[in-house]
Amino acid sequence: MSTIADNIGLVSARIRAAAHAVQRDENSIHLLAVSKTKPAQAVREAFAAGMRDFGENYLQEALGKQAELTDLPLSWHFIGPIQSNKTRAIAENFAWVHSVDRLKIAQRLSEQRPADLPPLNICIQVNVSGEASKSGCTPADLPALAEAISVLPRLKLRGLMAIPEPTEDRAAQDAAFATVRDLQASLNLPLDTLSMGMSHDLESAIAQGATWVRIGTALFGARDYGQP
Ligand SMILES: *Cc1c(COP(=O)(O)O)cnc(C)c1O
């Protein structure tokens, strides 16, 4: 059986190859280890193999894991859907939020970000798959939302995040990620982040400009939602 350390090596090699294929510096692409449904021990193993950034979708699960791992200098990223009654705990316990898709949530995160922490890094999740996805703002709503979030005092708007409809068709993957890249470029804001690409489509995402790839399955194995 492959270990988490082996898998990190394999994923890093995929990132390197994908970057070189399009003449990008591999160091411009960051690997976010998506540890949702996996135990704290898996995070510990990934940390030992060099990982520092971890992504979680479910707040209660994330807080439990964080409490078990306070001895490690980890950077936590919230990447799941956000209900307004969860914003305070997210603002207090994460360094990044990739899944902001409406202003009310951003305003609450800004108001609730503790003064002794640096501004919370934010990506706006944009829906580039139409009705196939419930999460993410529409491309039409993006410019006004980005302008409004960019002036919130305790947030730092970094860029966009997207989860295109899954497909094995490389041309369709490329088209969706290129749409995200072009949307970001069309905003007149100093943004440096494109959070896009998962285990099955990271090569396409990197070819279209991803700076964070969010990888779960290829690092930690398949998830068992029966026993989180
Ligand atoms: C689960 C999840 C991932 C990781 O997906 P894999 O296919 O397991 O790599 C990435 N991003 C988000 C938002 C997720 O919910």
Side-chain angles (χ1 to χ4, degrees):
M1 250 184 74
S2 59
T3 66
I4 290 170
D6 294 336
N7 291 340
I8 291 170
L10 293 171
V11 169
S12 299
R14 284 176 63 190
I15 292 172
R16 197 175 310 124
H20 291 173
V22 293
Q23 277 88 46
R24 287 188 62 193
D25 176 0
E26 67 194 69
N27 296 311
S28 66
I29 299 138
H30 305 286
L31 173 54
L32 178 63
V34 176
S35 47
K36 67 181 178 208
T37 80
K38 300 297 176 181
Q41 181 55 32
V43 173
R44 231 172 244 293
E45 278 180 58
F47 174 85
M51 297 299 309
R52 294 294 177 272
D53 290 272
F54 291 87
E56 292 280 342
N57 293 53
Y58 312 106
L59 179 64
Q60 292 314 318
E61 181 197 340
L63 296 179
K65 236 173 274 184
Q66 289 174 355
E68 289 184 66
L69 295 164
T70 51
D71 56 314
L72 302 183
L74 304 177
S75 185
W76 291 97
H77 299 233
F78 195 83
I79 62 173
I82 305 171
Q83 299 156 282
S84 34
N85 64 349
K86 303 285 168 61
T87 53
R88 182 175 298 280
I90 292 172
E92 290 175 351
N93 292 287
F94 289 80
W96 284 75
V97 181
H98 293 232
S99 45
V100 171
D101 63 3
R102 53 197 207 275
L103 185 57
K104 180 184 168 203
I105 294 295
Q107 286 167 332
R108 291 175 64 95
L109 290 170
S110 182
E111 284 160 15
Q112 295 167 342
R113 180 67 167 173
D116 60 325
L117 294 179
L120 184 59
N121 294 296
I122 298 291
C123 293
I124 297 175
Q125 184 174 351
V126 58
N127 175 6
V128 292
S129 300
E131 288 178 7
S133 169
K134 301 185 294 299
S135 299
C137 77
T138 66
D141 288 342
L142 176 64
L145 180 60
E147 286 291 339
I149 291 178
S150 71
V151 299
L152 291 174
R154 300 291 296 137
L155 304 185
K156 184 166 174 55
L157 180 62
R158 299 293 298 267
L160 304 184
M161 181 275 235
I163 312 173
E165 196 179 2
T167 169
E168 294 308 317
D169 176 16
R170 174 65 190 254
Q173 294 173 357
D174 284 348
F177 291 131
T179 299
V180 184
R181 180 199 60 214
D182 292 347
L183 283 169
Q184 193 208 42
S186 72
L187 300 172
N188 263 327
L189 293 168
L191 305 177
D192 63 6
T193 299
L194 283 173
S195 169
M196 56 190 200
M198 315 201 319
S199 293
H200 70 285
D201 58 11
L202 71 87
E203 282 82 4
S204 169
I206 288 170
Q208 304 307 323
T211 63
W212 280 103
V213 290
R214 308 177 313 270
I215 309 298
T217 309
L219 293 180
F220 297 111
R223 287 178 290 274
D224 179 354
Y225 283 97
Q227 318 192 320

